Amino acid sequence: MSHPIVDAPKQNPSRHPAERSVNGHQVDTVEPETGKEIGQGGPLRRGLSLVLSSIGPTLVLIGFAAVFYYGHHNDWRIPKFAALTGSVETIADDWCEEHAVPESICVECDPTLMPKGPDYGWCEVHGVHNCVLDHPDVAQMKETPSILPSDLERAARALAVAPRKENNSACKIYQTRIQFASIESVKQAGVDVELIERAPIVEAITGSGEIVYDPTKQASLASRVPGSVWLVTKGVGDLVTKGEVLAVVDAAQVGDLKTNLLRALAEENLQRQNVSRLNQARSAIAGSRILDAEAALSKAQADVLSAEQSLRNLGLPIETESLRGLSERQVLDNLRLLGIPDEIRAQLNSKTITSNLIPIVSPIEGFVTQRHVAPGEVVDPTRILFEVANTSQMWLTLNVPLENMDQLAVGQPIRFQADGSRYEVEGKLDWISTAADSQTRMVQVRAMLPNVDGKLRSETFGTGQIILREEPDAIVIPNGSSHWEGCCQVVFVRDKHYFDSPDSFKVFHVRSVRLGATNGEFTEVISGVLPGEVIAAAGSDVLRAQLLKNNLGAGCDCVAE
């Protein structure tokens, strides 16, 4: 079969690029030289290609977003297959994540379940919120307690005696309640409770100290003149009375002074007789002779006084009036053993005894604490022979921090316990130094300690307490049961309806407190709780952690981080 010959369309000689057509429609035009497509279909194709290429990544991002959304709202738990197929019913979520209890019984989310009591706000006097001393109905007790006047007085004393850590009046933490789902959950959390009780509390300033002899009741004895030790009668530890002889010294100077007195007495007696004779013959003699005799008598009397005073300066008890009218032999016998007691005289041979003896006498009653002499030794006034101390009263010196000076006053009681001793002694503060130590910044104070039984020893170190106040019936809580929350000291008080029934809300109330002194395992509460209330003690950190969690992001800037 022959085919008709169809003439090919004529090409426009002015168009250089080649053209392609499909079913008679022009698709694109390609330039032979560059291979680029031109014509009406090029931009549309590129846009469609761009849209188709972005669909895949977009679907991937949407898938990731869906997974993140589901995981965030389902705690990233993979659902069971039965839940995905819808073969089981969906269980309602009844759990309050914020307060860690079932939401149906959460008293914080639904306050109508357990209405809060009256809010009395800030107490300016005692520095706490909802002060139980002023408003006892706040106390978590079945019956409203009565506030004793002694508790108000005790709180006033505690606040007056020393500065106390202050709570922030703007804090609202006290309005918070910590709830548990059940009693079992409280036990599992390790929370233990304690009943608030009364106990004696002593508040004191403590300092290291030393016991020494009372310098006003201590004596250092030496010979007042040079000589040699003739006799020693006392040793270390011996009890001596005031005026008792400890030793006897042979000193030539003493003999010379006694001789001078003897001569002065003889001269005085002679001049007195001369004046008496001249006065009897006054009419027959010149008046000048009488005046000369009286002047000589006065000089003799002065010599007697001088010799007497010299002996008195050595501690020898001389009475010249008793010597006047005696013979020289009698005067010599009285002066020879002047100041020597009878018990020592009885040991001496009166025929060979010297007149140079001078006794070493104790000026106080006490014990011989040191002895530095033996018979025959040569001594002089610069050498200490004996130390005598009255130990019935001792001095206690304590070193106290400078910042406690405002709390000290003369007359405050002091208790001291020596290192290694089981006994405690008491005294009175009687002196406070006017200067602080330049190195330690400590201030020295002093107290008198009675030592009637003689148990205290000089140069004994130990610890002393200056008693600021004693409270025999203070309100106390166990140490560690209170917590500082950044601006408030709080405890967790168990609700009074805690055990009313198994369905009772297991709630602890946050209560701000003001603390006082700490003794041993207990801390005084100035205000904030009352005896008979129950607080969380051991394990109360669990409640504190929940309190911090509840207040995160709540805008409470007073909670510690």
Side-chain angles (χ1 to χ4, degrees):
M1 178 180 292
S2 63
H3 297 280
I5 298 175
V6 180
D7 294 335
K10 294 183 178 180
Q11 296 182 352
N12 188 350
S14 63
R15 297 183 62 179
H16 180 73
E19 294 181 351
R20 293 183 301 171
S21 61
V22 178
N23 296 328
H25 297 284
Q26 181 176 324
V27 178
D28 54 11
T29 304
V30 180
E31 293 182 354
E33 294 83 1
T34 62
K36 293 182 179 181
E37 295 181 353
I38 59 175
Q40 294 179 354
L44 179 61
R45 181 180 179 86
R46 287 195 299 271
L48 182 60
S49 176
L50 181 62
V51 170
L52 293 176
S53 63
S54 62
I55 290 176
T58 303
L59 292 176
V60 172
L61 291 177
I62 293 174
F64 277 121
V67 171
F68 179 80
Y69 178 83
Y70 177 84
H72 179 71
H73 288 79
N74 292 275
D75 291 336
W76 298 99
R77 291 176 297 186
I78 300 176
K80 296 181 180 180
F81 179 78
L84 293 176
T85 59
S87 59
V88 295
E89 294 182 359
T90 303
I91 300 176
D93 187 4
D94 185 28
W95 187 257
C96 178
E97 293 291 343
E98 183 179 359
H99 303 113
V101 293
E103 191 169 357
S104 59
I105 64 169
C106 182
V107 299
E108 288 293 279
C109 294
D110 187 1
T112 60
L113 296 174
M114 184 181 181
K116 295 182 179 180
D119 188 348
Y120 297 104
W122 177 252
C123 175
E124 292 286 350
V125 176
H126 302 116
V128 295
H129 305 87
N130 277 348
C131 180
V132 292
L133 293 180
D134 294 333
H135 307 283
D137 56 299
V138 175
Q140 291 300 316
M141 302 170 66
K142 291 299 181 65
E143 296 182 1
T144 301
S146 298
I147 302 301
L148 301 176
S150 58
D151 284 330
L152 296 174
E153 294 170 359
R154 176 186 54 81
R157 288 193 298 270
L159 293 173
V161 75
R164 308 296 178 185
K165 198 169 186 178
E166 297 182 357
N167 296 319
N168 188 343
S169 60
C171 181
K172 300 299 181 183
I173 289 181
Y174 73 98
Q175 298 175 346
T176 307
R177 295 176 293 186
I178 307 299
Q179 184 180 5
F180 287 87
S182 63
I183 295 178
E184 288 72 19
S185 63
V186 176
K187 294 180 180 179
Q188 291 175 1
V191 178
D192 197 5
V193 295
E194 291 286 347
L195 182 67
I196 297 175
E197 299 178 334
R198 294 183 182 272
I201 283 289
V202 176
E203 185 166 12
I205 298 173
T206 303
S208 59
E210 179 186 11
I211 294 177
V212 296
Y213 292 123
D214 184 349
T216 63
K217 297 182 179 295
Q218 190 176 15
S220 299
L221 307 181
S223 176
R224 300 191 183 188
V225 289
S228 60
V229 179
W230 188 73
L231 177 68
V232 177
T233 62
K234 295 294 180 181
V236 174
D238 289 342
L239 176 64
V240 297
T241 59
K242 184 177 181 179
E244 189 170 1
V245 176
L246 280 70
V248 178
V249 174
D250 187 341
Q253 185 178 343
V254 174
D256 293 341
L257 293 177
K258 291 178 179 179
T259 301
N260 291 339
L261 178 58
L262 180 62
R263 291 174 180 174
L265 286 172
E267 181 66 19
E268 180 191 38
N269 186 43
L270 177 62
Q271 294 300 329
R272 182 176 287 108
Q273 292 176 1
N274 188 28
V275 170
S276 178
R277 287 196 304 268
L278 292 177
N279 283 330
Q280 292 176 359
R282 178 180 293 272
S283 59
I285 61 175
S288 59
R289 291 187 58 188
I290 296 177
L291 293 176
D292 291 341
E294 291 177 346
L297 175 60
S298 297
K299 182 180 181 302
Q301 291 175 337
D303 291 340
V304 171
L305 291 175
S306 176
E308 178 184 4
Q309 188 60 47
S310 296
L311 291 174
R312 286 181 180 275
N313 291 341
L314 298 181
L316 297 175
I318 182 67
E319 293 291 341
T320 55
E321 289 297 329
S322 62
L323 300 178
R324 289 188 174 97
L326 300 178
S327 65
E328 291 184 0
R329 186 65 187 179
Q330 291 174 325
V331 172
L332 180 60
D333 289 341
N334 284 313
L335 293 180
R336 178 177 297 172
L337 297 178
L338 184 65
I340 305 299
D342 293 338
E343 58 269 20
I344 295 181
R345 290 187 182 190
Q347 305 174 20
L348 305 178
N349 187 345
S350 59
K351 295 181 179 180
T352 59
I353 193 65
T354 176
S355 299
N356 299 341
L357 301 182
I358 178 173
I360 307 299
V361 178
S362 174
I364 62 172
E365 179 181 357
F367 289 91
V368 177
T369 58
Q370 294 186 40
R371 168 183 160 176
H372 307 288
V373 65
E377 289 189 67
V378 177
V379 296
D380 59 60
T382 62
R383 179 181 173 184
I384 301 299
L385 307 181
F386 294 93
E387 294 279 357
V388 179
N390 187 331
T391 61
S392 63
Q393 178 175 283
M394 308 288 280
W395 269 18
L396 169 65
T397 57
L398 287 180
N399 295 311
V400 179
L402 182 61
E403 55 268 22
N404 294 124
M405 286 302 98
D406 293 340
Q407 300 170 250
L408 298 183
V410 173
Q412 289 175 329
I414 288 183
R415 294 173 185 167
F416 180 80
Q417 187 170 13
D419 293 340
S421 174
R422 297 176 299 170
Y423 303 100
E424 193 174 63
V425 292
E426 295 188 7
K428 294 288 185 180
L429 182 65
D430 71 339
W431 175 77
I432 303 173
S433 176
T434 57
D437 187 275
S438 60
Q439 300 295 327
T440 63
R441 307 310 299 162
M442 305 290 278
V443 176
Q444 193 173 77
V445 300
R446 183 186 67 209
M448 299 293 186
L449 298 180
N451 187 33
V452 179
D453 54 5
K455 292 182 178 180
L456 300 181
R457 298 290 182 268
S458 181
E459 298 183 9
T460 298
F461 295 93
T463 303
Q465 290 184 322
I466 304 173
I467 308 302
L468 301 180
R469 64 186 182 96
E470 289 187 89
E471 303 294 348
D473 207 25
I475 300 173
V476 298
I477 60 175
N479 294 342
S481 58
S482 67
H483 302 273
W484 179 253
E485 297 306 321
C487 63
C488 287
Q489 195 80 30
V490 300
V491 295
F492 302 98
V493 184
R494 194 177 70 184
D495 186 76
K496 57 186 176 183
H497 300 296
Y498 190 90
F499 286 115
D500 283 0
S501 70
D503 296 330
S504 299
F505 299 113
K506 313 310 175 188
V507 169
F508 287 83
H509 300 266
V510 179
R511 185 87 60 78
S512 63
V513 293
R514 197 89 180 268
L515 301 183
T518 297
N519 284 176
E521 299 178 352
F522 296 96
T523 299
E524 176 192 21
V525 177
I526 299 173
S527 179
V529 291
L530 292 177
E533 292 189 285
V534 178
I535 63 171
S540 58
D541 285 336
V542 175
L543 286 86
R544 179 177 183 267
Q546 183 63 32
L547 177 64
L548 293 175
K549 175 185 174 183
N550 293 350
N551 285 277
L552 286 177
C556 182
D557 58 357
C558 64
V559 178
E561 295 182 358

